Amino acid sequence: MIAPNISELAVGDVVAERTAVLQRDELVRYAGASGDFNPIHYRDDVARSVGLPGVLAHGMLTMGVASTPVVEWLGSAGWVQDTQARFTRPVPVDPETGAELTVTATVGAVDVEARTARIDVKVVFGGQTVLGKSQVRVAFA
């Protein structure tokens, strides 16, 4: 993979696209790593008892799935300074098929003098965007 060059970036450029499928076993591993053992992330009966459609992916896991293609695109050309997102819709994870997320990362702003760029990340599940104002600010070496 060729390292990105900040002087070649333009607002609107798509820098990464990916489809990722979250499975329930990943939710369990994420719960163990993060310490978030809220049962809505592994028990359908508990999730439904609070009005949810079923077991949901952790929001921070979804945010990590959103940021990963940007980190891979950036490679050793720089580093992530900041990342943020609003959780706008839940991501139910089917026990058999999981949840397929489509991630598209687009250049939202470039500051060549400061050697930074804002990458806007769109994450879609079931035809709907699940993160709002999802942005990763990167700095180039």
Side-chain angles (χ1 to χ4, degrees):
M1 177 181 279
I2 298 172
N5 183 332
I6 191 167
S7 64
E8 297 174 355
L9 295 179
V11 172
D13 286 352
V14 174
V15 297
E17 294 179 286
R18 170 183 289 175
T19 298
V21 179
L22 292 176
Q23 299 290 343
R24 289 211 176 167
D25 60 330
E26 293 170 294
L27 304 185
V28 172
R29 288 194 295 271
Y30 183 83
S34 69
D36 180 355
F37 291 102
N38 186 330
I40 66 168
H41 300 300
Y42 59 87
R43 287 186 50 187
D44 282 306
D45 61 326
V46 173
R48 289 193 177 105
S49 74
V50 296
L52 299 171
V55 165
L56 302 180
H58 300 76
M60 292 302 291
L61 176 58
T62 303
M63 196 170 158
V65 168
S67 300
T68 298
V70 177
V71 172
E72 291 174 355
W73 160 76
L74 184 61
S76 62
W79 60 92
V80 172
Q81 286 185 320
D82 183 53
T83 183
Q84 58 184 286
R86 281 188 253 145
F87 306 115
T88 58
R89 286 192 171 78
V91 177
V93 180
D94 184 88
E96 294 182 19
T97 61
E100 184 176 291
L101 302 171
T102 303
V103 179
T104 305
T106 305
V107 176
V110 180
D111 185 338
V112 175
E113 189 172 310
R115 301 194 56 73
T116 62
R118 187 191 80 223
I119 308 300
D120 298 336
V121 183
K122 182 176 182 179
V123 181
V124 175
F125 169 75
Q128 296 186 309
T129 301
V130 296
L131 296 178
K133 198 179 178 187
S134 179
Q135 300 176 336
V136 179
R137 182 166 304 282
V138 298
F140 285 78

